[in-house]
Amino acid sequence: MQLRGHTRYGALLGALSLVAACSGGGAGDGVITLDYWCWSGSQAAKVAAFNEAHSDIQVRHTDAGGSVDSSTKLLTASRAGNAPDVSCVEYPTVPSMIVSDVLADISEFTTDIEDAFTPEVWQMTRFEGQVYGIPQDIGPMVLLYNERRFEELGIAVPATWEEFAEVAAEVRERDPASYLTTFAPGEFGNFAGLAQQAGASWWSVEDREWTVAISDDRTLEVAAYWQDLIDRDLVLPEPLLTPEWNNRVNQGQVLTWPAGLWAPDVIHGVAEGQAGDWAIAPLPHWEGDGGEVALQGGTALSVTKNSDHPEAAARFAIWMNTAETAYELQIAAGQYPACVEGQTAAAQGPPPALTAGQEDYWEVAAHAAAHTVSDITWGPNVSTAGDAFRDAMSAAVRDGTPLPDALHETQRVVVEEMRRVGFRLSQ
């Protein structure tokens, strides 16, 4: 989750490179060597810092790529008996890695860091009370908006989703070329976050018996809300980050993006000329509900069952995500740490370039991080759910069929696969 530029990161990385060059050499007698897979930008520097600080453990880092590819590679390696000792695992795929017998329970090694993360963040790596990873970074959802365009059009930042619909209509009236936001049919994680904020829980498990509720009432209500905005031509139904979408952003014709806290760096990457024009606000909430938000994106460092050194591996994972040196490197590389102390440290620096003019950026970010939805459980076949969602939602937008129908189809596909594989289901 990239949050800001890399100037400070480059300086720190250069210093670490000099240290590594001076230290040289390989692991000596009695030294434990761990293999580590992870893909984000700060990893090489963090591993170098860990190796410099620990004479008894040395780590070899491999960039194994992110997203679905990383999970597939890890599962394949685990089945072959040669998975790394530690691997980055995206939060939604943690349960699938657990039920596939890839990840080790490291609860016994985490008692001393219980307060390092909020309960809601810990929930991302817990399964039936056991800990299967150390949280690394998080993306609490916020409303990223083009403040300059809001001022030009004389519109207010919406605090509720009801107000959001009203502002969407105002934007279309005042500038017919612009839209308040985009409904992207392929964004499974984003829609899941919006549904979770509304009270949906797509999977739950008790004694290894699963309940699947992707088409529950709260999720269908969220879908109906966006369907209404699409039907009234108040939001733009199209994929994100295409050349066409990027051009609309650069022209100031897409005014907001409800997304994780990493979103400012994404927009800055496609509209660098708008640096300082944007700001973040709390994600709109439903009238009568609290201000809790979901986490969109994030990874944990998990110890695998293939590791011959689980205690050393857990020690490494803990250091990587709680040590001051580690989270300072993480912040410098543009990531928002999962640990509470890391978030406090991040708030001492400048906001991302896109939101450079926002004095209360870190206050808004910290409030979102401190008010996340609790008790979220992802399912054992999230990748299947994501594929089914993207196919069904894209077809609905293309063919003009109801979005709620796409959720029923996603539910059907997910349940059928779980039954076929042999999971126990409550329904």
Side-chain angles (χ1 to χ4, degrees), residues 71-356:
S71 298
T72 302
K73 291 175 184 176
L74 183 59
L75 179 59
T76 301
S78 176
R79 288 174 174 170
N82 56 13
D85 298 274
V86 182
S87 179
C88 280
V89 180
E90 293 183 317
Y91 295 136
T93 61
V94 168
S96 65
M97 292 294 102
I98 295 170
V99 300
S100 297
D101 214 29
V102 174
L103 306 185
D105 172 17
I106 57 172
S107 303
E108 63 179 304
F109 308 122
T110 62
T111 54
D112 291 340
I113 60 164
E114 187 69 26
D115 294 335
F117 308 91
T118 66
E120 292 79 11
V121 171
W122 270 123
Q123 181 64 26
M124 296 293 99
T125 65
R126 280 199 166 110
F127 187 79
E128 295 189 326
Q130 298 173 323
V131 177
Y132 289 90
I134 308 300
Q136 177 173 245
D137 56 350
I138 59 171
M141 293 187 72
V142 296
L143 181 67
L144 178 63
Y145 69 100
N146 189 324
E147 186 175 32
R148 180 180 62 82
R149 290 288 286 135
F150 267 61
E151 292 174 354
E152 288 176 356
L153 296 178
I155 55 177
V157 178
T160 67
W161 288 113
E162 290 80 2
E163 292 177 2
F164 190 88
E166 295 171 1
V167 173
E170 291 178 10
V171 170
R172 298 294 288 141
E173 290 173 1
R174 300 179 189 189
D175 182 2
S178 296
Y179 289 87
L180 181 60
T181 199
T182 301
F183 179 83
E187 296 300 312
F188 172 74
N190 184 275
F191 188 87
L194 297 175
Q196 288 165 357
Q197 184 204 28
S201 182
W202 286 1
W203 286 274
S204 58
V205 60
E206 185 174 357
D207 296 328
R208 296 296 171 113
E209 181 177 88
W210 290 88
T211 299
V212 184
I214 295 173
S215 57
D216 69 354
D217 289 343
R218 297 313 300 267
T219 304
L220 294 177
E221 289 170 5
V222 173
Y225 171 85
W226 289 97
Q227 181 70 67
D228 175 64
L229 297 184
I230 292 171
D231 290 346
R232 293 193 284 150
D233 192 32
L234 300 185
V235 301
L236 186 64
E238 70 173 12
L240 303 176
L241 300 175
T242 62
E244 295 79 12
W245 188 82
N246 293 348
N247 181 61
R248 292 181 193 275
V249 172
N250 275 279
Q251 296 299 318
Q253 296 174 352
V254 177
L255 276 62
T256 73
W257 187 13
L261 197 56
W262 39 262
D265 264 20
V266 176
I267 296 296
H268 186 255
V270 301
E272 188 174 346
Q274 294 179 3
D277 290 348
W278 292 67
I280 61 170
L283 189 72
H285 60 85
W286 298 102
E287 289 184 2
D289 288 353
E292 291 80 13
V293 299
L295 295 173
Q296 186 187 357
T299 54
L301 268 61
S302 295
V303 178
T304 72
K305 286 191 172 183
N306 286 171
S307 177
D308 293 328
H309 308 285
E311 184 173 1
R315 180 179 164 194
F316 165 69
I318 290 169
W319 187 94
M320 287 284 280
N321 292 340
T322 62
E324 182 178 2
T325 299
Y327 63 64
E328 286 287 353
L329 284 165
Q330 192 176 357
I331 293 165
Q335 295 176 319
Y336 192 60
C339 71
V340 175
E341 287 187 1
Q343 293 170 14
T344 300
Q348 306 309 308
L354 188 78
T355 58

Side-chain angles (χ1 to χ4, degrees), residues 24-33 54-58:
D29 292 341
V31 176
I32 295 173
T33 299
H54 297 82
S55 59
D56 57 336
I57 304 173
Q58 293 291 285

